[in-house]
Structures are given as structure tokens and as C-alpha cells.
């Protein structure tokens, strides 16, 4: 049976899960409430993840990285998110920022920018959205104009995760305004480039430890070799990237939901009402069963998608990657919203307070239904795949 085409996690994947869970329980979970309360970057998590080489596990070995496959990367993000959703954006956004390079960047660009990320010296964000170009990403206005051996960028990118703490940014900008989506190109912009600044941190419902800010580009003059791929291919690269990274948002959603379910199970076993643990009541048991059932279903679809992502990264044709990627992202995030809401319900009044982590998990789950494409956009993407 050794050649059976399994997509289940291997023993190595499960060992990785145990390792990350131990690390997250010991070094990330203890700060999760404080990071949320103070809306501060989880530096302890970055330090712990970088010390163990878990901050950007997807970077291939040829660029000094751990070379983890897409399923292993999902497991890392899932386990960090179980402890702290904000912290899980460290490995997730490092992947989002660098996949455009991996898919379309020149060898020289990859060597230059992936190695510092692998060493834990730099993080990488992804700058697609703008104030008036969210779901309609191709409606962006940020402009890049060629001047000799340079491109000069002007515009404001919005909702940029980990803006300010990342050293590097994949920025999509219009190079030919007459060509629509085919007039968009991708660039690497550095935080230290003259003319780069950041808006104030957004005041958000959840993932408060991960800074979300505007990236403001004012006459940012960068060498022409910072373009990722050919001119006019930036929008395709951006969407092809999301085919891989919506799976990591699904992973984040799974982790948040698992954290809430685990906490709720512990709670209902010890909470006594009417002279017995509330876990004895069938109504509570049915809620737990539904939560776990739906979570496991979403997990299996996510792992299935992760294996397809890995195959595609290795150059195999995978016809339905776009579909499964959107499907697992929409399903896992909807499940995470339901599971975390039910976890709050199971804790009753206590669940509604900040004394317990489930209200934070419920707030954090909400963003997974919105970013990397709203779940309405995911359904549109899936329907287009079905009908084409
Ligand atoms: N891979 C590669 N190319 C693709 C593609 C894919 N998955 N999907 C479409 N394309 C190509 C098309 O073939 C087309 O190319 P041609 O003109 O050469 O045929 C081009 O891209 C444009 O495609 P569409 O006409 O389908 O584009 P559209 O404007 O109708 O919209 C969309 C597409 C699906 C709505 C897209 O805009 C979208 O996904 N919107 C959501 C935006 C989004 O997800 N933003 C996330 C921001 S990042 C974030 O949130 C990160 C974070 O904070 C953590």
C-alpha cells in the first residue's frame, strides 16, 4: 500500500503538530490575552517561532528555509492560531508576502529576499487592497511609472497585515492604466525605501496583536529589477498567490475554532449546575458533537487543499486548486465563526467576559470570513469555476 496516494498527515506532520502545540502552549498562549488587551505586536511569539525556525516554514531549503510542504505549513499556522490568532499571522503573512516571489520572481530576487525571511531577520507583507479596491482588487489606483532603470510608485495600499513590522512588501501597482487587470505589475518594496510610510494602526474587533495599517507610497523610486515577473502579470500573480494562501487562512480558522472547542470542553466538564456537570446534559453534548463534527469536516477539506497546493507548487497541473482553496477558506471560516460563538454560549455569562479566552476567539474568528477575499467573493470564485 506504500504507493497509495494518501493526503492524510504523515507521522512527521503529527510530530510537527506536537512540537508546535507545546511551543505555542508554553510561549505564545500566556501572552495572547495581553496582546489582545493592549493591541500590541506579539514579539514573544515572533521570538519563539524564529528561535525554532517556525516563523516562515514554507521557504524552500534552497533559500535557507525549512522547506516545509504546504500541509506542514497549514499545521504550524493551525497550532499557533489555537493559542493566539494574531501570532498565527506571522507564519501566514510571511507566506502570503513571499508566494508571489516563489511563483513568479527571478532567481536573483528570490535569493535576495527569501534568505533574510528564512533567517528570521525580516517579515514580508502583501499589499493588494486599497480604500476603493477591496473585493474589486483590479480597480486599484496605485501607479508605477517607469523612469530609466527605475520604477516610481505612488499610491496608498490599505488593510495591510503586519504593516510597519514587515521589512518587505509585495506591492501590486498599475503600470498600464489602459490595460485593466493586464496593466498591473508586482514589485518588492522595502520599508526602508525613501517615500514609504505607514498610516495609523486600524482599531479592530479582533486580531488586535497584528498591526493592520496603510502602506503609503510617495515617489518611491525602486530599481527595475524589483519587479516580480514580467510587466502586466502582477494581477495574475496576486490571484495565483491567493490560490495557495487562502488555504492558510482556513488553517488559521481551524486553529481558532479548535482552541475554542478545547476550552469549552474543559469548562463544561467542571462547571456544575442542577447538581451535576453541565457536560451531562444532552443539549450541551449535541452542541459539542456538532462543533467537533463540522470542525473536522473543514479540517479534512483544508488538508486536501493543502496537498493540492503542494502539488501545484511542485509543478504538477492541479485543475481545481482555485476551487478547493476558496472552498476550504469559506467553509473553515464559517465553521470557526459558528464554533467560537457556540463556545461563548457554552460558557454562558462567563464566556461573554474577558476573563476567559473564548470571546477573544470569537472576535478573532470574524476576520477569517473577511480577509483574503470575503466569503461572498469565495462563493463567486467557486461558482465561476463550476460554470466555466
Ligand atoms: N490564478 C491566476 N490567474 C487568475 C486567477 C487565478 N486564480 N483568477 C483569475 N485570473 C486571471 C484571469 O484569467 C484574468 O486574466 P486574463 O485577462 O489574461 O484572462 C485576470 O486574472 C483577471 O481575472 P478576472 O477577470 O476573473 O478578474 P475580476 O476583476 O473579475 O475579479 C476576483 C477577480 C476573483 C473578484 C478577484 O478580484 C478577487 O479575488 N477579489 C478579492 C480580493 C482579495 O481576495 N483580496 C485579498 C487581499 S489580501 C488579504 O486580505 C491578506 C491579509 O490581510 C492577511
Amino acid at each position: 500500500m506504500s504507493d497509495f496516494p494518501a493526503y492524510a498527515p504523515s507521522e512527521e506532520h503529527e510530530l510537527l503538530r506536537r512540537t508546535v502545540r507545546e511551543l505555542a502552549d508554553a510561549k505564545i498562549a500566556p501572552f495572547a490575552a495581553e496582546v489582545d488587551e493592549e493591541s500590541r505586536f506579539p514579539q514573544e511569539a515572533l521570538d519563539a517561532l524564529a528561535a525554532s525556525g517556525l516563523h516562515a516554514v514554507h521557504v524552500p531549503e534552497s533559500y535557507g528555509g525549512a522547506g516545509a510542504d504546504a500541509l506542514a505549513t497549514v499545521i504550524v499556522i493551525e497550532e499557533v492560531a489555537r493559542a493566539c490568532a494574531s501570532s498565527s499571522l506571522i507564519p501566514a503573512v510571511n507566506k502570503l508576502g513571499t508566494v508571489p516571489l516563489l511563483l513568479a520572481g527571478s532567481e536573483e530576487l528570490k535569493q535576495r529576499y527569501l534568505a533574510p525571511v528564512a533567517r528570521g531577520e525580516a517579515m514580508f507583507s502583501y499589499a493588494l487592497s486599497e480604500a476603493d479596491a477591496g473585493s474589486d482588487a483590479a480597480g486599484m489606483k496605485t501607479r508605477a511609472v517607469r523612469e530609466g532603470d527605475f520604477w516610481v510608485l505612488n499610491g496608498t495600499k490599505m488593510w495591510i497585515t503586519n504593516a510597519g513590522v514587515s521589512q518587505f512588501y509585495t506591492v501590486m501597482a498599475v503600470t498600464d492604466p489602459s490595460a485593466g487587470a493586464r496593466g498591473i505589475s508586482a514589485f518588492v518594496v522595502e520599508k526602508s525605501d525613501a517615500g514609504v510610510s505607514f498610516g495609523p494602526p486600524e482599531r479592530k474587533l479582533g486580531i488586535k496583536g497584528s498591526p493592520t495599517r496603510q502602506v503609503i507610497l510617495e515617489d518611491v523610486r525602486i530599481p527595475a529589477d524589483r519587479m516580480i515577473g514580467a510587466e502586466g502579470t502582477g494581477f495574475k500573480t496576486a490571484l495565483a498567490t491567493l490560490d495557495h494562501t487562502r488555504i492558510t487562512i482556513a488553517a488559521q480558522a481551524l486553529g481558532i475554532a479548535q482552541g475554542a472547542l478545547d476550552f469549552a470542553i474543559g469548562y463544561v466538564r467542571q462547571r456544575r449546575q442542577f447538581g451535576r456537570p453541565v457536560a451531562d446534559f444532552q443539549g450541551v453534548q449535541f452542541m459539542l458533537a456538532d462543533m467537533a463534527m463540522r470542525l473536522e469536516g473543514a479540517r479534512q477539506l483544508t488538508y486536501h487543499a493543502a496537498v493540492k497546493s503542494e502539488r501545484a507548487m511542485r509543478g504538477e497541473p492541479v485543475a481545481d486548486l482555485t476551487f478547493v482553496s476558496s472552498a476550504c477558506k469559506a467553509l473553515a471560516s464559517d465553521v470557526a465563526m459558528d464554533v467560537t460563538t457556540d463556545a461563548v454560549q457554552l460558557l454562558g455569562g462567563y464566556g461573554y467576559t474577558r476573563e476567559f479566552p473564548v470571546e477573544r476567539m470569537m472576535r478573532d474568528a470574524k476576520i477569517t470570513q473577511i480577509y483574503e477575499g470575503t466569503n461572498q467573493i469565495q462563493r463567486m470564485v467557486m461558482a465561476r469555476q463550476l460554470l466555466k
Side-chain angles (χ1 to χ4, degrees):
M1 293 289 279
S2 61
D3 59 348
F4 188 77
Y7 69 81
S10 66
E11 268 181 42
E12 274 179 34
H13 286 119
E14 291 306 341
L15 180 63
L16 175 69
R17 182 195 302 285
R18 285 197 293 279
T19 305
V20 183
R21 185 169 291 198
E22 276 171 27
L23 178 134
D25 282 348
K27 297 191 172 163
I28 296 176
F31 300 99
E34 184 184 309
V35 156
D36 174 68
E37 193 75 38
E38 297 176 4
S39 295
R40 69 164 176 85
F41 183 71
Q43 188 61 43
E44 299 86 353
L46 177 58
D47 293 345
L49 291 168
S52 302
L54 295 167
H55 58 289
V57 280
H58 69 287
V59 176
E61 288 172 356
S62 43
Y63 306 107
D69 62 56
L71 180 52
T73 306
V74 155
I75 289 170
V76 169
I77 293 165
E78 188 185 348
E79 289 301 326
V80 175
R82 182 175 167 273
C84 172
S86 293
S87 300
S88 71
L89 284 161
I90 294 168
V93 173
N94 274 337
K95 178 160 181 175
L96 176 63
T98 54
V99 169
L101 271 177
L102 288 166
L103 291 177
S106 67
E107 195 50 38
E108 201 274 323
L109 217 49
K110 287 193 248 187
Q111 289 290 353
R112 198 186 328 159
Y113 287 106
L114 295 177
V117 175
R119 287 196 296 270
E121 295 164 5
M123 296 205 297
F124 221 123
S125 290
Y126 175 90
L128 176 68
S129 305
E130 298 179 4
D132 294 323
S135 293
D136 181 12
M140 68 179 65
K141 295 280 180 287
T142 294
R143 189 80 166 88
V145 176
R146 181 93 189 214
E147 284 185 12
D149 290 340
F150 294 86
W151 285 96
V152 179
L153 277 66
N154 277 287
T156 300
K157 292 293 177 179
M158 196 162 178
W159 313 119
I160 309 309
T161 303
N162 287 350
V165 291
S166 287
Q167 282 75 5
F168 305 139
Y169 298 81
T170 292
V171 173
M172 269 54 73
V174 177
T175 45
D176 179 357
S178 66
R182 293 183 190 181
I184 292 170
S185 305
F187 299 88
V188 178
V189 171
E190 301 188 13
K191 177 181 174 178
S192 59
D193 287 328
V196 175
S197 63
F198 303 97
E202 302 292 345
R203 295 163 66 234
K204 300 174 303 209
L205 177 71
I207 55 157
K208 293 186 178 196
S210 170
T212 308
R213 302 171 69 176
Q214 290 181 338
V215 176
I216 302 162
L217 307 160
E218 290 169 301
D219 289 328
V220 178
R221 196 176 166 80
I222 58 171
D225 69 1
R226 295 245 213 109
M227 183 182 275
I228 302 172
E231 191 176 334
T233 60
F235 193 65
K236 279 192 185 199
T237 301
L239 294 188
T241 295
L242 296 173
D243 283 351
H244 293 277
T245 58
R246 283 172 175 157
I247 301 167
T248 60
I249 297 303
Q252 183 188 38
L254 296 178
I256 297 169
Q258 190 67 55
L261 176 62
D262 291 347
F263 194 89
I265 289 173
Y267 182 87
V268 298
R269 285 173 131 158
Q270 57 83 30
R271 170 75 173 164
R272 295 180 71 85
Q273 291 290 278
F274 305 102
R276 52 214 274 221
V278 294
D280 282 2
F281 295 107
Q282 195 178 50
V284 167
Q285 291 173 3
F286 280 11
M287 280 177 75
L288 290 175
D290 277 334
M291 291 157 80
M293 171 183 73
R294 299 186 61 214
L295 179 51
E296 191 55 31
R299 179 175 287 117
Q300 292 307 316
L301 181 58
T302 304
Y303 289 4
H304 175 65
V307 171
K308 289 190 180 251
S309 158
E310 182 61 27
R311 289 193 173 140
M313 274 290 183
R314 292 180 187 198
E316 283 180 41
V318 180
D320 62 348
L321 179 63
T322 300
F323 176 84
V324 291
S325 168
S326 283
C328 73
K329 189 276 194 191
L331 179 64
S333 57
D334 285 349
V335 166
M337 198 66 243
D338 289 349
V339 167
T340 54
T341 304
D342 280 352
V344 169
Q345 189 71 19
L346 285 169
L347 267 71
Y350 293 104
Y352 201 61
T353 73
R354 294 193 194 172
E355 300 306 308
F356 293 89
V358 287
E359 64 82 33
R360 165 171 53 84
M361 292 163 172
M362 180 178 159
R363 287 184 286 108
D364 287 343
K366 184 64 203 170
I367 191 62
T368 65
Q369 295 181 303
I370 297 172
Y371 60 15
E372 290 213 24
T374 63
N375 282 2
Q376 288 69 31
I377 288 289
Q378 308 308 325
R379 287 172 168 90
M380 196 181 96
V381 169
M382 285 186 275
R384 282 187 185 181
Q385 295 294 307
L386 295 172
L387 295 169
K388 81 175 181 188

